[in-house]
mmCIF file of all heavy atoms in Angstrom:
data_model
loop_
_atom_site.group_PDB
_atom_site.id
_atom_site.type_symbol
_atom_site.label_atom_id
_atom_site.label_comp_id
_atom_site.label_asym_id
_atom_site.label_seq_id
_atom_site.Cartn_x
_atom_site.Cartn_y
_atom_site.Cartn_z
ATOM 1 N N ILE A 38 50.320 132.938 36.509
ATOM 2 C CA ILE A 38 50.251 132.675 35.056
ATOM 3 C C ILE A 38 49.040 133.371 34.454
ATOM 4 O O ILE A 38 49.150 134.057 33.445
ATOM 5 C CB ILE A 38 50.177 131.158 34.761
ATOM 6 C CG1 ILE A 38 51.376 130.427 35.382
ATOM 7 C CG2 ILE A 38 50.143 130.925 33.259
ATOM 8 C CD1 ILE A 38 51.351 128.920 35.207
ATOM 9 N N VAL A 71 38.110 122.105 32.418
ATOM 10 C CA VAL A 71 37.806 120.722 32.025
ATOM 11 C C VAL A 71 38.581 119.800 32.960
ATOM 12 O O VAL A 71 39.781 119.999 33.194
ATOM 13 C CB VAL A 71 38.224 120.452 30.553
ATOM 14 C CG1 VAL A 71 38.004 118.981 30.194
ATOM 15 C CG2 VAL A 71 37.435 121.336 29.603
ATOM 16 N N PRO A 77 34.149 107.963 40.823
ATOM 17 C CA PRO A 77 32.877 108.702 40.879
ATOM 18 C C PRO A 77 32.758 109.618 42.101
ATOM 19 O O PRO A 77 32.062 110.625 42.037
ATOM 20 C CB PRO A 77 31.814 107.602 40.956
ATOM 21 C CG PRO A 77 32.494 106.322 40.647
ATOM 22 C CD PRO A 77 33.966 106.499 40.857
ATOM 23 N N ILE A 82 32.481 115.167 44.278
ATOM 24 C CA ILE A 82 33.047 116.217 45.149
ATOM 25 C C ILE A 82 33.376 117.467 44.325
ATOM 26 O O ILE A 82 33.024 118.594 44.680
ATOM 27 C CB ILE A 82 34.321 115.683 45.867
ATOM 28 C CG1 ILE A 82 33.939 114.643 46.932
ATOM 29 C CG2 ILE A 82 35.131 116.819 46.476
ATOM 30 C CD1 ILE A 82 35.124 113.974 47.628
ATOM 31 N N LYS A 120 27.918 94.937 57.184
ATOM 32 C CA LYS A 120 27.911 94.870 58.655
ATOM 33 C C LYS A 120 29.318 94.804 59.250
ATOM 34 O O LYS A 120 29.484 94.974 60.450
ATOM 35 C CB LYS A 120 27.056 93.690 59.105
ATOM 36 C CG LYS A 120 25.600 93.987 58.846
ATOM 37 C CD LYS A 120 24.668 93.119 59.621
ATOM 38 C CE LYS A 120 23.260 93.641 59.419
ATOM 39 N NZ LYS A 120 22.257 92.617 59.582
ATOM 40 N N ILE A 128 23.794 101.811 60.464
ATOM 41 C CA ILE A 128 23.082 101.437 59.224
ATOM 42 C C ILE A 128 21.665 102.021 59.260
ATOM 43 O O ILE A 128 21.192 102.604 58.283
ATOM 44 C CB ILE A 128 23.027 99.904 59.051
ATOM 45 C CG1 ILE A 128 24.443 99.349 58.813
ATOM 46 C CG2 ILE A 128 22.087 99.503 57.902
ATOM 47 C CD1 ILE A 128 24.537 97.844 58.678
ATOM 48 N N ILE A 177 38.225 96.911 70.701
ATOM 49 C CA ILE A 177 38.042 97.799 71.855
ATOM 50 C C ILE A 177 37.466 99.131 71.377
ATOM 51 O O ILE A 177 36.544 99.681 71.973
ATOM 52 C CB ILE A 177 39.391 98.082 72.550
ATOM 53 C CG1 ILE A 177 40.161 96.771 72.637
ATOM 54 C CG2 ILE A 177 39.223 98.773 73.878
ATOM 55 C CD1 ILE A 177 41.655 96.932 72.731
ATOM 56 N N ILE A 187 23.046 111.535 62.438
ATOM 57 C CA ILE A 187 22.083 112.518 61.927
ATOM 58 C C ILE A 187 22.439 113.938 62.380
ATOM 59 O O ILE A 187 22.457 114.874 61.579
ATOM 60 C CB ILE A 187 20.653 112.103 62.325
ATOM 61 C CG1 ILE A 187 20.311 110.848 61.499
ATOM 62 C CG2 ILE A 187 19.643 113.226 62.096
ATOM 63 C CD1 ILE A 187 18.991 110.213 61.782
ATOM 64 N N LYS A 212 33.787 111.626 34.237
ATOM 65 C CA LYS A 212 34.041 110.507 35.155
ATOM 66 C C LYS A 212 34.505 109.359 34.275
ATOM 67 O O LYS A 212 33.707 108.544 33.820
ATOM 68 C CB LYS A 212 32.755 110.141 35.895
ATOM 69 C CG LYS A 212 32.898 109.339 37.169
ATOM 70 C CD LYS A 212 33.764 108.105 37.170
ATOM 71 C CE LYS A 212 33.402 106.976 36.272
ATOM 72 N NZ LYS A 212 34.423 105.928 36.103
ATOM 73 N N LYS A 220 42.558 111.589 24.445
ATOM 74 C CA LYS A 220 42.783 111.376 23.006
ATOM 75 C C LYS A 220 41.752 112.102 22.153
ATOM 76 O O LYS A 220 41.981 112.380 20.986
ATOM 77 C CB LYS A 220 42.750 109.877 22.684
ATOM 78 C CG LYS A 220 43.944 109.154 23.261
ATOM 79 C CD LYS A 220 44.171 107.801 22.616
ATOM 80 C CE LYS A 220 45.533 107.244 22.918
ATOM 81 N NZ LYS A 220 45.808 106.983 24.313
ATOM 82 N N ILE A 243 48.259 105.183 47.105
ATOM 83 C CA ILE A 243 47.031 105.622 47.800
ATOM 84 C C ILE A 243 45.816 104.968 47.144
ATOM 85 O O ILE A 243 45.578 105.164 45.959
ATOM 86 C CB ILE A 243 46.884 107.161 47.740
ATOM 87 C CG1 ILE A 243 48.091 107.834 48.404
ATOM 88 C CG2 ILE A 243 45.594 107.604 48.428
ATOM 89 C CD1 ILE A 243 48.025 109.353 48.445
ATOM 90 N N MET A 287 55.456 96.881 27.391
ATOM 91 C CA MET A 287 56.813 97.115 26.875
ATOM 92 C C MET A 287 57.042 98.616 26.816
ATOM 93 O O MET A 287 56.191 99.356 26.322
ATOM 94 C CB MET A 287 56.921 96.576 25.437
ATOM 95 C CG MET A 287 56.840 95.082 25.343
ATOM 96 S SD MET A 287 58.400 94.337 25.762
ATOM 97 C CE MET A 287 59.365 94.731 24.309
ATOM 98 N N MET A 293 62.747 103.366 28.572
ATOM 99 C CA MET A 293 63.575 102.471 29.400
ATOM 100 C C MET A 293 64.784 103.231 29.941
ATOM 101 O O MET A 293 65.172 103.060 31.098
ATOM 102 C CB MET A 293 64.068 101.289 28.564
ATOM 103 C CG MET A 293 63.249 100.028 28.655
ATOM 104 S SD MET A 293 62.543 99.687 30.239
ATOM 105 C CE MET A 293 63.383 98.241 30.719
ATOM 106 N N THR A 353 60.319 113.157 34.992
ATOM 107 C CA THR A 353 59.311 114.013 34.343
ATOM 108 C C THR A 353 59.977 115.204 33.651
ATOM 109 O O THR A 353 59.625 115.563 32.525
ATOM 110 C CB THR A 353 58.293 114.515 35.389
ATOM 111 O OG1 THR A 353 57.793 113.380 36.095
ATOM 112 C CG2 THR A 353 57.150 115.261 34.753
ATOM 113 N N ASN A 383 58.422 98.492 57.251
ATOM 114 C CA ASN A 383 59.783 97.963 57.209
ATOM 115 C C ASN A 383 60.039 97.199 55.928
ATOM 116 O O ASN A 383 59.203 96.456 55.471
ATOM 117 C CB ASN A 383 60.007 97.012 58.385
ATOM 118 C CG ASN A 383 60.150 97.784 59.662
ATOM 119 O OD1 ASN A 383 60.579 98.927 59.643
ATOM 120 N ND2 ASN A 383 59.772 97.175 60.769
#
Side-chain angles (χ1 to χ4, degrees):
I38 303 177
V71 175
I82 289 176
K120 289 198 172 154
I128 293 178
I177 317 155
I187 290 176
K212 199 311 298 168
K220 291 198 165 62
I243 300 182
M287 292 280 287
M293 264 325 246
T353 308
N383 286 332

